[in-house]
Amino acid sequence: MSAFDAAVGRDGPNHVGRAQGSPDIQHSAKHAAYALASKRIIAGYGFWIFLLSDIVMFSAFFAAYAVLVDATAGGPSGRELFDLGNVSIETACLLLSSFTCGLAGIGARTRNGFWFHGAMAATFILGAAFLGIEIREFMGMIALGAGPTRSAFLSAFFTLVGCHGLHVAIGLLWLLTMMAQVFAKGYRPDILRRLLCFSLFWHALDIIWVGLFTMVYLMGVTQ
Amino acid sequence: MSHAEQDEDSHYVDTAPGDESLDGYEAAEEIRTYLIGLGLATLLTLVSFFITRTALVWEPSIPVALAVLAIAQMGVHLVFFLHITTGPDNVNNVLALAFGVLIVLLVIVGSLWIMAHMNHNMMPIDQIMQMQS
């Protein structure tokens, strides 16, 4: 029988393995390590499913945007409003922050505090820069009279991009929490599981941004 | 966990999404993975931004090219940053992802398809106004 089986229990509600074998469950000290490892798998897998459901929610906003993109009600269109210079800086910030977030994960695995906190701080600065540029862009559009109430196109735009920005803001708060928890409690297995979930969340935000800058900004400027 | 203990059953062990494979962990190797991912993602992003500004590409093909580049970049992120692989330890992660992608495609393509047909079949707005008056 597989070690994974012994750790989780064959018929437990959290059974995510495909293992088969004799059903005897050993409760030896040897398997304590496996129990921790499998909890990490379960937490990561559960969070993965949450992220996929989050992406499904985003797909509804993407669909609404794609349907309403031409419904400008005589107001400004994306071609007049979008500044690709801003968007390229935002994209660079988010891509680099995804990279530094990965480095922070390596820092945590190798128990290198300097590396971990440095990479997390870099991730925070890049994420905050992204959010600052986005808020400035929104304020500029609202000042031009192109706020979310102007047309169906702008309602869909602010909902979609704003929802992503909200996720980034929540991610930044989570990032600070993780830095504080590692600082105060060290690299405990439960803290490392939260870190795994955080890095999944942060990478997923970057994946959504790839769809977003392509469909909203680049296609909006070319069409 | 030691490699020898795992060997026999490693076929049945799962890996959490975002985790490296369980056997053998090298920080230098993982940094290399992230660097390759960063390089590929940067390249694809630069090409995306480039083809929107250049006249080199046949214009009607640009939206399709952008979509292909975006999907490629999402793939790069999944493989190099989220460590989703086709290995036996990743079957659950890939199946969940495949289901997510199916729903995303149904929602987006279905919405566009239906709404395009409704727009196509709707009477022009000035004719509706005439009927009401």
Side-chain angles (χ1 to χ4, degrees), chain A residues 174-195:
Chain A
W174 191 0
L175 188 156
L176 290 179
T177 314
M178 288 324 301
M179 281 177 83
Q181 287 198 329
V182 170
F183 185 73
K185 300 174 182 178
Y187 302 101
R188 282 184 352 208
D190 54 342
I191 307 291
L192 289 175
R193 280 200 300 276
R194 289 172 204 168
L195 261 180

Side-chain angles (χ1 to χ4, degrees), chain A residues 55-67:
Chain A
I55 288 171
V56 166
M57 183 200 72
F58 265 104
S59 78
F61 287 135
F62 270 107
Y65 179 83
V67 165

